[in-house]
């Protein structure tokens, strides 16, 4: 069965698909905002350290499991550790991306709405205040039907791509969209950096303030780096199961991580200078994209309405593409599980998961409107899905993957997969270092950061 499995056509397309999964809403709104909140360049340094010390080893660990077995999460763990409980981790990591997909799709729907707004030249009136933009956004997300229809549309695009398959769907889609994403974000950055008053935004990104590097800030940096690289949820494992057997895992891991980090930093330099040029304090999350930036586009429009509206179109296309290339990988992780494990057809598996994620997404969407007062553990359904996955499940999943490869799998097997049976000389030379990071550094750092944050929360530090 494994031999009939589809695969990515080349290293380039595989890296573009993986980078497409990695580059998403996390890079565009979470990263720039977190940089400012957590000590500017100091946060970027910790983020980069996490990328090198944790993300690359976790990425490689997940890839080793996927490429070795050519199976998706559940069956892969079962194949490598038959008769043990490890396969349940596989199942856990199938559900995490599906939960993420449910709320991610709601935000994807919002980005469709704002793309339509920019295409109909809604951001050209400088008289509309920042508060008025917030009110427009507020009344949109709290309404019942429109966000639901757009959430459905966003999910449907995902389903179409995933049903088409790995080669004809995912590969074809990300081969075009990922390079376009880079081009667009660089264009926005150039525009943004040339605005008068952009300097304060640059300072925001590069000035280190180490006093803000608390345990919580480090946990944020770690969580953000895992979220950004789609780690701990089986996405990378599943995509790696579509790699050719002779692929070099060090190379795919390195390229994907570099593209992802680069994109986040470019996005920061694309957004923050514009925010400061408009004299605004950067806000958090969705507010930044859907309230502050439309206001900036409109005010810039005072002198050149067309240009700023074109920038708005480019910006919302970028957001939509970035969200789609990530969400497709979330859906694929679940679909691959049903296809591999339950021997279901791709179309049927996609439709079943489409239904489940759509339904949970409906609840997430309504949690801004009619269900706003419905709280579980003090959070709305949307926030619960977000925090449960990005604060906890992704980190937990990442920890379990490195423990599995570092402690459960045989060292000889790990080496065999990483070096392609010894044929990759470079990988053979660095194997012991990578293995040491997977076995010791990654698990210890994850646990220490987690514990520091916990102790801080309990006021014991
Ligand atoms: N990496 C994506 C982003 O930065 O937006 C988010 C993501 C994709 C999370 C895939 C989880 C996942 F399985």
């Amino acid at each position: 069965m494994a031999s009939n499995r589809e695969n990515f056509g080349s290293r380039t397309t595989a890296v573009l698909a993986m980078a497409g999964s990695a580059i998403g809403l996390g890079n565009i709104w979470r990263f720039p905002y977190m940089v400012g909140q957590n000590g500017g360049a100091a946060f970027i340094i910790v983020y980069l350290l996490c990328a090198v010390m944790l993300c690359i080893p976790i990425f490689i660990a997940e890839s080793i499991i996927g490429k070795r077995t050519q199976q998706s999460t559940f069956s892969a763990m079962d194949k490598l550790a038959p008769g043990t409980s490890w396969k349940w981790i596989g199942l856990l990591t199938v559900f995490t991306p599906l939960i993420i997909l449910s709320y991610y799709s709601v935000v994807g729907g919002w980005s469709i709405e704002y793309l339509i707004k920019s295409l109909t030249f809604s951001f050209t009136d400088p008289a509309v205040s920042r508060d008025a933009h917030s009110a427009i956004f507020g009344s949109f997300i709290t309404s019942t039907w429109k966000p639901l229809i757009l959430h459905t549309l966003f999910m449907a695009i995902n389903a179409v791509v995933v049903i088409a398959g790995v080669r004809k769907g995912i590969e074809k889609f990300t081969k075009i969209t990922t390079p376009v994403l880079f081009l667009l974000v660089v264009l926005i950055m150039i525009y943004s950096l040339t605005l008068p008053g952009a300097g304060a935004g640059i300072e925001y990104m590069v000035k280190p303030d180490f006093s803000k590097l608390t345990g919580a800030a480090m946990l944020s940096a770690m969580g953000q780096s895992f979220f950004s690289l789609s780690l701990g949820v089986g996405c990378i494992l599943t995509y790696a199961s579509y790699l050719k057997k002779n692929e070099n895992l060090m190379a795919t891991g390195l390229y994907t991580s570099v593209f992802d980090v680069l994109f986040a930093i470019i996005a920061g330099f694309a957004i923050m200078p514009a925010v400061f040029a408009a004299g605004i304090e950067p806000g958090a999350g969705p507010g930044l994209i859907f309230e502050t930036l439309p206001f900036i586009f409109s005010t810039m429009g005072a002198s050149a309405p067309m240009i700023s509206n074109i920038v708005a179109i480019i910006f919302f296309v970028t957001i939509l593409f970035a969200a789609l290339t990530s969400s497709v990988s979330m859906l694929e992780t679940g679909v691959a599980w049903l296809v591999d494990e339950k021997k279901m057809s791709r179309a049927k598996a996609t439709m079943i998961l489409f239904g489940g994620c759509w339904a949970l997404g409906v609840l997430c969407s309504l949690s801004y409107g009619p269900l706003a007062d419905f709280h579980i553990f003090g959070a709305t359904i949307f926030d619960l899905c977000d925090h449960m996955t990005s604060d906890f499940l992704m980190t937990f999943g990442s920890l379990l993957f490195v423990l599995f490869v570092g402690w459960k799998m045989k060292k000889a097997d790990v080496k065999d997969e990483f070096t392609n049976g010894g044929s990759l000389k470079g990988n053979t030379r660095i194997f012991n270092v990578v293995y040491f990071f997977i076995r010791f550094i990654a698990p210890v750092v994850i646990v220490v950061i987690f514990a520091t944050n916990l102790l801080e929360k309990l006021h014991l530090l």
Side-chain angles (χ1 to χ4, degrees):
M1 183 193 57
S3 56
N4 296 333
R5 198 176 177 77
E6 278 195 276
N7 55 25
F8 291 121
S10 68
R11 156 140 2 129
T12 310
T13 53
V15 168
L16 288 176
M18 286 176 163
S21 168
I23 295 167
L25 297 172
N27 302 59
I28 301 179
W29 59 259
R30 266 169 66 135
F31 181 76
Y33 153 69
M34 284 183 141
V35 169
Q37 291 286 303
N38 297 302
F43 179 84
I44 298 185
I45 294 169
V46 177
Y47 184 80
L48 289 176
L49 283 175
C50 287
V52 175
M53 290 180 28
L54 305 176
C55 294
I56 295 181
I58 298 166
F59 190 105
I60 290 173
E62 275 200 41
S63 311
I64 284 175
I65 303 172
K67 182 160 94 65
R68 185 149 193 91
T69 56
Q70 299 199 302
Q71 292 287 303
S72 55
T73 45
F74 183 83
S75 2
M77 302 301 254
D78 199 27
K79 196 167 169 182
L80 291 175
T84 68
S85 307
W86 284 98
K87 58 178 173 290
W88 300 113
I89 298 163
L91 201 59
L92 170 84
T93 59
V94 165
F95 283 101
T96 314
L98 295 174
I99 298 171
I100 299 176
L101 177 58
S102 307
Y103 76 84
Y104 208 85
S105 168
V106 173
V107 184
W110 299 348
S111 63
I112 297 179
E113 163 75 359
Y114 273 71
L115 176 58
I116 296 171
K117 274 188 194 296
S118 62
L119 287 170
T120 50
F121 296 95
S122 306
F123 305 125
T124 48
D125 183 0
V128 183
S129 67
R130 165 80 169 72
D131 287 347
H133 278 289
S134 296
I136 294 169
F137 179 59
S139 79
F140 163 61
I141 61 169
T142 52
S143 66
T144 304
W145 292 108
K146 208 169 183 191
L148 285 187
I149 294 168
L150 295 171
H151 154 60
T152 310
L153 178 62
F154 185 88
M155 282 293 306
I157 303 174
N158 280 282
V160 169
V161 175
V162 171
I163 286 179
V166 175
R167 273 276 173 103
K168 293 202 183 113
I170 297 172
E171 180 173 289
K172 226 174 174 177
F173 182 67
T174 49
K175 188 162 88 180
I176 301 166
T177 43
T178 309
V180 169
L181 271 178
F182 262 96
L183 183 74
L184 297 183
V185 79
V186 168
L187 283 180
I188 304 171
M189 180 181 75
I190 294 170
Y191 177 75
S192 194
L193 289 176
T194 54
L195 292 170
I202 299 173
E203 194 175 300
Y204 174 97
M205 290 290 295
V206 301
K207 203 169 145 201
D209 178 357
F210 288 99
S211 68
K212 286 196 181 151
L213 270 189
T214 55
M218 290 203 264
L219 187 72
S220 299
M222 184 174 81
Q224 169 62 14
S225 67
F226 291 177
F227 186 84
S228 191
L229 262 175
S230 318
L231 295 174
V233 289
C235 276
I236 297 303
L237 189 160
T238 304
Y239 272 14
S241 75
Y242 301 131
L243 289 174
K244 297 211 165 105
K245 269 313 237 177
N246 61 357
E247 187 48 86
N248 181 340
L249 294 182
M250 189 68 214
T252 48
L254 214 56
Y255 285 131
T256 307
S257 314
V258 168
F259 286 152
D260 184 56
V261 170
L262 207 62
F263 192 95
I265 292 178
I266 297 175
F269 282 105
I271 293 173
M272 287 309 159
V275 170
F276 279 89
I280 297 174
E281 271 298 298
L288 181 64
I289 299 182
F290 300 110
E291 297 168 34
T292 308
L293 289 175
F295 168 67
I296 293 172
F297 294 135
S298 317
T299 41
M300 287 186 318
S303 50
M306 273 306 155
I307 294 188
S308 73
N309 202 89
I310 289 169
V311 177
I313 295 173
I314 296 177
F315 184 78
F316 288 113
V317 169
T318 310
I319 303 255
L320 182 59
F321 277 8
L324 278 171
T325 53
S326 295
S327 53
V328 159
S329 71
M330 302 173 201
L331 186 56
E332 175 62 26
T333 306
V335 167
W337 162 60
L338 288 179
V339 170
D340 288 343
E341 188 63 25
K342 308 282 173 207
K343 311 283 175 269
M344 234 178 237
S345 75
R346 184 163 263 282
K348 186 173 172 194
T350 307
M351 289 327 289
I352 290 176
L353 296 180
F354 173 96
C357 293
W358 177 83
L360 183 55
V362 166
L363 297 179
C364 290
S365 182
L366 294 178
S367 69
Y368 279 93
L371 293 182
D373 293 327
F374 180 73
H375 289 175
I376 303 173
F377 301 123
T380 64
I381 299 175
F382 185 108
D383 287 344
L384 184 73
C385 289
D386 180 6
H387 293 306
M388 189 171 69
T389 50
S390 51
D391 294 352
F392 182 67
L393 288 175
M394 294 188 86
T395 312
F396 189 54
S398 299
L399 178 63
L400 293 173
F401 280 136
V402 278
L403 289 178
F404 183 77
V405 173
W407 296 89
K408 176 71 190 164
M409 278 180 77
K410 286 200 196 82
K411 184 176 178 183
D413 291 345
V414 176
K415 185 169 184 180
D416 182 60
E417 204 53 45
F418 184 69
T419 63
N420 290 348
S423 65
L424 297 170
K425 296 290 169 242
N427 285 15
T428 311
R429 270 196 297 277
I430 57 169
F431 173 73
N432 281 334
V433 178
V434 173
Y435 191 62
F436 182 76
F437 270 79
I438 292 177
R439 200 165 146 88
F440 296 106
I441 306 281
V444 169
V445 174
I446 293 174
V447 170
V448 167
I449 294 185
F450 228 96
T452 313
N453 181 56
L454 198 69
L455 292 176
E456 245 175 37
K457 282 220 165 75
L458 298 172
H459 303 291
L460 296 175
L461 265 187

